[in-house]
Amino acid sequence: MGSATREALALSRAALADAGKPSLAAAEELLAAARAVGGSAQLRGLLADPELDADRKQALVESIFGAKLGSQAKGLLLSLVGRRWSRSEDLLEGIEEIGIRVAAGSAPARTAVDSELFAFLRAVAGDAELELALSSKLGAPEAKAGVVSELLEGKAHATTIAILRHLVQQPRGRRIRPLIEAAADIVADQAGSEVATVTAAAPLSPAQRKRLEEGLTASRGRSFRVQVVVDPSIIGGLRVRIGDEVVDGTVASRLQDLKLALAS
């Protein structure tokens, strides 16, 4: 990530904090705008062009999105396109991130959106047909969103459904697991905590999960939520992912290291 993008993201998050109480409607509007920007390289290039002045960008946003955006979503989008980004793709990622943050902030207190995202991920991972339906490049985006709604209506919070509907419509080349993991990281960060994704060969007990959360919180100085992904192929041990950092202590990994050492 370039320095311009890092600064733009920091300023955009600050703008979100000053934008008032987030609403799910504003989040859905921003995510829809992200899909529109993602679908047009020309539009993306214009909105991220550092040589295009702010007035022209504002006029462009008004002409394309005017009636489709409420005041909160429009203000945040204008703030985003008014920043300097290292790449036009970074602007797209920025719009998506702020949209997800708005959605997360709109959820009632104690709504575990990140846990619901991981529950959906586990359901997809355990159903090859469902994973294909949501991941196939041949499927219509609207149909994929419909699958999410059909599966989760009445079972997950509207915030979770809105985020997942967006993700399956615009994966941007990402597979379903990293797609949802990245969204869960953003949701947790917006709530002031962090997600540790723990891959284990078998489910962890509540006591094991609690010890992990307490240990991570003590060592990192920040609240952690542990989300467990069960993968029998790792044989034993744990793989822990925190953002881009991965600590792999699985048996499968150690066996692979041993195999490579013996082959050298």
Side-chain angles (χ1 to χ4, degrees):
M1 183 187 297
S3 59
T5 289
R6 281 194 295 272
E7 182 178 359
L9 280 174
L11 291 170
S12 298
R13 291 165 188 158
L16 173 58
D18 295 334
K21 172 63 179 174
S23 73
L24 183 56
E28 292 180 309
E29 290 165 1
L30 268 178
L31 293 174
R35 294 194 294 276
V37 172
S40 171
Q42 182 181 17
L43 175 60
R44 195 161 61 248
L46 285 170
L47 292 177
D49 187 351
E51 302 301 322
L52 198 64
D53 62 57
D55 288 342
R56 289 187 63 189
K57 289 183 180 180
Q58 181 170 352
L60 194 57
V61 168
E62 290 285 356
S63 66
I64 296 173
F65 300 107
K68 301 175 184 177
L69 300 178
S71 59
Q72 187 177 62
K74 185 183 295 184
L76 288 168
L77 182 58
L78 288 172
S79 174
L80 283 155
V81 302
R83 311 293 180 200
R84 188 180 187 92
W85 300 87
S86 302
R87 304 176 308 146
S88 61
E89 290 78 8
D90 293 346
L91 168 61
L92 173 57
E93 291 179 16
I95 299 172
E96 180 178 276
E97 177 183 322
I98 297 301
I100 292 174
R101 287 181 181 275
V102 173
S106 74
R110 296 184 296 278
T111 303
V113 175
D114 56 333
S115 295
E116 291 185 349
L117 289 171
F118 272 94
F120 184 77
L121 175 58
R122 286 191 288 270
V124 173
D127 188 329
E129 187 175 339
L130 174 59
E131 183 171 7
L132 179 62
L134 294 175
S135 303
S136 173
K137 294 180 180 179
L138 301 177
E142 297 80 5
K144 294 178 183 180
V147 170
V148 170
S149 294
E150 184 178 346
L151 288 172
L152 295 183
E153 201 67 50
K155 301 176 184 176
H157 193 270
T159 298
T160 307
I161 296 173
I163 292 172
L164 287 169
R165 280 176 56 88
H166 166 74
L167 294 176
V168 299
Q169 288 183 86
Q170 191 176 75
R172 294 193 283 111
R174 298 167 293 179
R175 296 181 64 84
I176 195 76
R177 178 168 174 172
L179 188 71
I180 295 177
E181 287 177 345
D185 286 344
I186 294 170
V187 168
D189 185 68
Q190 186 63 24
S193 62
E194 198 163 353
V195 169
T197 306
V198 177
T199 304
L204 300 184
S205 69
Q208 289 173 318
R209 185 192 294 259
K210 184 179 180 181
R211 284 199 300 272
L212 266 174
E213 289 179 344
E214 290 174 346
L216 287 168
T217 298
S219 65
R220 301 276 182 145
R222 192 178 188 196
S223 174
F224 270 86
R225 293 172 62 87
V226 167
Q227 299 293 345
V228 180
V229 177
V230 176
D231 181 0
S233 70
I234 68 172
I235 305 173
L238 297 174
R239 180 188 301 119
V240 181
R241 183 190 68 82
I242 301 171
D244 294 330
E245 181 183 351
V246 178
V247 178
D248 195 338
T250 62
V251 173
S253 175
R254 293 198 293 270
L255 288 174
Q256 179 63 22
D257 289 344
L258 178 60
K259 185 186 297 183
L260 291 173
L262 292 171
S264 61

